[in-house]
Amino acid sequence: MNSDLAIETQGLTKRFGGHVAVDGLSITVPRGAVAGFVGPNGAGKTTTMGMLLGLVGRSSGSGHVLGESLSDPSRYLGRVGASVEHPAFYAGLSGRENLRLLATVGGHDAAQVPALLDLVGLGDRGEDRFGRYSMGMKQRLAVAAALLGDPELLILDEPTNGLDPVAIHEMRRLIGTLAEDGRTIFVSSHQLSELEQTCDWLVVIDHGALLFEGPTTEFGAREVSITLVPQHLEDLGRLERVVCTDGRHAVERDDCRVKVTCAEEQFRVIAAEANRAAADEGIVLVELRSDRMSLEERYLEMVNGAAR
Amino acid sequence: MNRVFQAELSKFTRRRTIAITAGIVVLAAVAMTAIVFSMAEPTATDGFGGPSEGVLRPTTEDLAAPGGGAEAFSFAVSFTGIFVFVVFTANWASEFSRATFRTLLLAQPRRGLLLTGKLGGLLTYAAAALALGLAAAWAAGLALAPGADISTDQWFTWGALQENAGAYLNAVIGTVAWACYGMALGVLVRSIPIALAIGIVWTGPIENITSDSWTGVAGVYPGLLLRAIAAGGTPDASYVHALTVTAGYVALAVAAAVITFRRRDIVN
């Protein structure tokens, strides 16, 4: 157990019958990080969060949250605020009444409820019944509920789900504001683009298994794609064969170009070699371009690669 | 548990909820009292004019006795068990189907405490509603008795107080039992329509039809036992027997609900 970590799991596994939802997942989230938990729908994000929060039992594996074992969530849940899946509150009670009820159940001071409603932008709608809230308001109420007791760790499961672009922008801003207090935030999404602006740590999973974990700056930054476009499209096949013949780099071809993906520090050498190889074959290039992969491209490549 | 209990009670102690509940309880108590007093005859009948068997409709003698003020209440409670059962089953099942259990578990991860605290809150509210129902039925009876030529002199004796307390206790016991059965079914099934279908089919057609052909089941079936408790015992099931077997059923229901809830993944 590392005291610098807010979340740490080892070989976390969940099986539902014959289906393995989470497969030996070992992840870490440093204290104070705004960590994005990314993966396509059905990747196992919600199940993993459910296990961290004691809602879902583990099939095997272990872990710690805020230094306490997953075996007894009651030892740490008082310091954790969470919103998992869709916001679920009593439809007949107002937003304010729902928060007061949860404050009572959790042993928190109900006096903080008005401030929390103001923080999430529901100050003037607190008396409305939850059943009449829009999806954006419901999501914001869920964040307010998660903030009861001023938790050290916030676990938010797809807080932008079902929101329009304006509401998504507001939610991002809210998460950014919450991160300024120094608390750890672990937020999931199936869209990396939603998280790359706010997160400084990324955990990427697919099919319940870890694909990447580390600082956001390390995700995708090391990958560069080199695009080669021949003058004559009939040369595409030959071009694909002559570039990077060592097989150490991913080479892809589409209808009009060949793309080589390599590490950032190698791209100058690879590009020069590819250019020379094309020239030696008598292939004239009309375009030779290098691009750092966007996080989204890197994510899609990673997920698609895992799927293959 | 205390915090969950308080939170559960807070859902019901809102002015609007109290007003609606009180209105329904008082209206039902007054209406049932009016029906009982208007249909009371010197000889007990089964409610359809035939000789009485099992649950009896109060006679004018019963109504003039010390426990007369609670007769209409007890008579009404013997028929409201299924209502209590439906309300409690729907309440528990909806906590799953609407995923509010998930939200509550994030605030109180000790599942046994959450379940029993909620049950305690619900039952406290139900007990208060029953007390109001008894008071309303007693007051309505007092107002209606002169019109039905029934003396209420015995209603103001020490014996009357004991009879009323007994009637209230039986009503609470019945409510607790129905509530626990409803909780167990709601937690086990988690679906409102399926839980209600199972509960209503069992306590309605199955218990009543099979009891017509096999009298022994009156001392076994949970719904019939509770009817026996409400009536202070029947020829087929004594009060003590009904109480003892019901206590066993309630313990089983609570244990099944708690064990299931503690082991279950909350995935929706």
Side-chain angles (χ1 to χ4, degrees), chain B residues 1-143:
Chain B
M1 175 176 168
N2 187 35
R3 297 200 306 248
V4 180
F5 174 81
Q6 279 178 37
E8 188 65 21
L9 262 189
S10 74
K11 279 162 57 183
F12 303 110
T13 50
R14 297 179 307 147
R15 249 182 256 167
R16 186 165 176 267
T17 310
I18 289 175
I20 291 171
T21 308
I24 291 171
V25 167
V26 169
L27 197 68
V30 171
M32 188 54 84
T33 305
I35 291 169
V36 166
F37 272 74
S38 65
M39 295 180 73
E41 293 171 7
T43 310
T45 69
D46 63 0
F48 300 98
S52 67
E53 276 180 27
V55 178
L56 309 181
R57 203 178 68 197
T59 63
T60 51
E61 269 183 26
D62 294 332
L63 294 175
E71 283 290 348
F73 170 76
S74 297
F75 188 68
V77 164
S78 67
F79 293 102
T80 55
I82 189 66
F83 173 73
V84 173
F85 177 77
V86 165
V87 168
F88 275 74
T89 303
N91 186 291
W92 291 104
S94 71
E95 295 276 4
F96 283 103
S97 61
R98 292 177 186 164
T100 40
F101 258 143
R102 187 205 328 131
T103 304
L104 292 173
L105 279 169
L106 294 175
Q108 174 49 275
R110 295 187 190 279
R111 298 186 178 196
L113 288 182
L114 183 64
L115 212 61
T116 49
K118 276 183 66 66
L119 180 64
L122 281 163
L123 286 176
T124 301
Y125 190 71
L130 284 174
L132 178 66
L134 175 58
W138 190 90
L142 197 63

